[in-house]
Amino acid sequence: MQRKTRTTALQELAPIWLADVRMRVKESTYTRYYRNVYRYLLPHLGETPVYKLNTLQVSGYADFLLSQGGIRGSGLAPKTVSDILSTLNTVLQYGQLCGYPCAPARGIRLPGSYRQMVTLPPDSRALLEKLILSRNDTTSIGIMLSLFAGLRIGELCGLRWEDIDLKNKTLTVNRTVERIADLNASYNRTKLIISEPKTANSYRQIPLPHFLTERLGMLTPVEGAYLLSGSDSPIEPCTFYKRYRRFLTVNGLPAYRFHALRHTFATRCVEVGFDTKALSEIMGHANVATTMAIYVHPPMAQKRRYMEKLAPNFAHKK
């Protein structure tokens, strides 16, 4: 056991925390923690005693990551930096609980990580809807499930026929597919894993609109198979993403990120009057605030309608 001295450095505490947390989190989560620790934290802060990792020290490190902490000296994205600092924050919280002389973890300020996501404009969305509704291939079905049910690409690839109840018109999210770094292999190797959904709230049952169950009913179910692959092995998210991008290119649509479909779904739900709690559960978020902060951006026309309602009473009498 490492002695809890005032000279205890981050490079001594972080591996202890990783060993402790390994059996309590998803493999993909542990892999992300491991990467943050060994790729970013220890090379720059490893020799720093944990009691010195105060707000000033960490703020300087955050500035470095944002400006030149990436490959070839390019800056990292705010969300990546936020994730790295969140890992550091958790390590210091663990150290405090174990009696290490850590700086107050609450002193670490995370950079803003939310960015406004792109939604498909009405003309592009209408064309995409027309295209996917005129086809019955798995690429079109996958796009349809994200655009009209808000599925993440990993959840989509993890969808099995047994998760779809056509009689009751529901879809259940039980798993996700993702490719992660293989920590037991040589440098830069990865592996495909099928794991639990992103969070506990990501386990969810989604009611499907009638037209969508009709479309799914036109496919031939394969018992025990994944919906998009038709076999007992799932299609990789990267492979499906390439098919999606090729679909857009062939049909003259801009190269929207796949997640834009999920964002478009959430925004449209708000436009048609969804209760935000119901939407939050359909999206698989832990709380309504997450849904509102990340996905819900009412269009200008809707905000204008709200503002017009504030006109003084005499204005309505003219």
Side-chain angles (χ1 to χ4, degrees):
M1 176 66 72
Q2 170 66 36
R3 291 184 60 198
K4 303 166 186 177
T5 68
R6 192 163 175 77
T7 58
T8 297
L10 183 64
Q11 63 189 6
E12 297 165 319
L13 176 59
I16 297 173
W17 169 73
L18 280 172
D20 178 77
V21 80
R22 182 163 197 169
M23 301 304 295
R24 294 188 283 107
V25 299
K26 291 172 55 178
E27 183 180 9
S28 57
T29 302
Y30 177 78
T31 300
R32 188 176 74 251
Y33 288 157
Y34 188 96
R35 180 203 61 188
N36 288 343
V37 166
Y38 284 101
R39 180 179 295 181
Y40 297 110
L41 293 173
L42 296 192
H44 299 282
L45 302 176
E47 296 181 1
T48 306
V50 290
Y51 82 91
K52 287 187 175 181
L53 291 172
N54 52 32
T55 304
L56 183 62
Q57 177 87 359
V58 176
S59 294
Y61 176 58
D63 289 341
F64 164 76
L65 292 176
L66 289 166
S67 62
Q68 53 184 307
I71 299 174
R72 299 191 183 96
S74 60
L76 297 174
K79 187 178 186 313
T80 303
V81 176
S82 181
D83 190 44
I84 295 167
L85 297 189
S86 181
T87 299
L88 176 59
N89 190 27
T90 306
V91 172
L92 296 182
Q93 286 179 335
Y94 170 81
Q96 287 179 324
L97 289 174
C98 294
Y100 288 89
C102 295
R106 62 179 178 275
I108 297 179
R109 298 192 187 95
L110 305 182
S113 58
Y114 293 144
R115 60 178 176 177
Q116 179 147 345
M117 305 290 285
V118 174
T119 58
L120 274 64
D123 55 343
S124 292
R125 191 187 73 218
L127 175 57
L128 182 60
E129 290 176 356
K130 181 179 179 180
L131 289 167
I132 60 178
L133 288 171
S134 66
R135 292 164 167 79
N136 209 34
D137 56 276
T138 53
T139 300
S140 298
I141 292 294
I143 295 172
M144 200 178 301
L145 285 172
S146 187
L147 189 59
F148 291 101
L151 294 188
R152 302 175 177 96
I153 193 168
E155 296 169 341
L156 184 62
C157 293
L159 200 61
R160 303 176 72 107
W161 272 106
E162 65 201 50
D163 302 321
I164 299 171
D165 185 341
L166 294 178
K167 180 180 179 180
N168 294 305
K169 299 180 182 179
T170 61
L171 178 156
T172 304
V173 177
N174 285 314
R175 69 194 66 79
T176 188
V177 178
E178 56 188 321
R179 182 165 286 281
I180 64 172
D182 188 350
L183 301 180
N184 296 318
S186 57
Y187 178 74
N188 237 11
R189 296 295 296 274
T190 62
K191 63 180 179 180
L192 190 71
I193 64 168
I194 303 166
S195 63
E196 299 172 348
K198 187 177 179 181
T199 66
N201 295 88
S202 295
Y203 283 100
R204 61 199 188 276
Q205 189 175 69
I206 301 174
L208 298 176
H210 180 69
F211 84 89
L212 200 47
T213 55
E214 279 191 335
R215 282 283 160 179
L216 290 169
M218 294 170 66
L219 299 177
T220 303
V222 180
E223 186 176 355
Y226 287 89
L227 175 67
L228 297 186
S229 69
S231 70
D232 58 2
S233 298
I235 186 173
E236 288 203 33
C238 181
T239 300
F240 186 78
Y241 182 73
K242 289 177 181 177
R243 292 182 183 177
Y244 161 73
R245 290 293 292 268
R246 186 162 57 247
F247 183 94
L248 297 182
T249 301
V250 168
N251 291 289
L253 283 161
Y256 299 109
R257 294 174 64 245
F258 190 83
H259 209 69
L261 302 180
R262 176 171 159 89
H263 184 45
T264 300
F265 165 78
T267 303
R268 290 187 70 199
C269 287
V270 173
E271 292 173 0
V272 299
F274 267 55
D275 170 78
T276 50
K277 177 60 177 174
L279 176 57
S280 181
E281 292 183 0
I282 289 173
M283 297 293 286
H285 290 150
N287 52 61
V288 173
T290 302
T291 307
M292 298 299 291
I294 303 178
Y295 293 102
V296 180
H297 307 290
M300 180 59 71
Q302 182 176 348
K303 288 184 280 191
R304 185 175 299 282
R305 288 196 299 271
Y306 291 148
M307 294 298 288
E308 290 295 342
K309 293 179 180 181
L310 300 179
N313 288 335
F314 72 85
H316 295 294
K317 297 176 182 178
K318 292 183 177 180

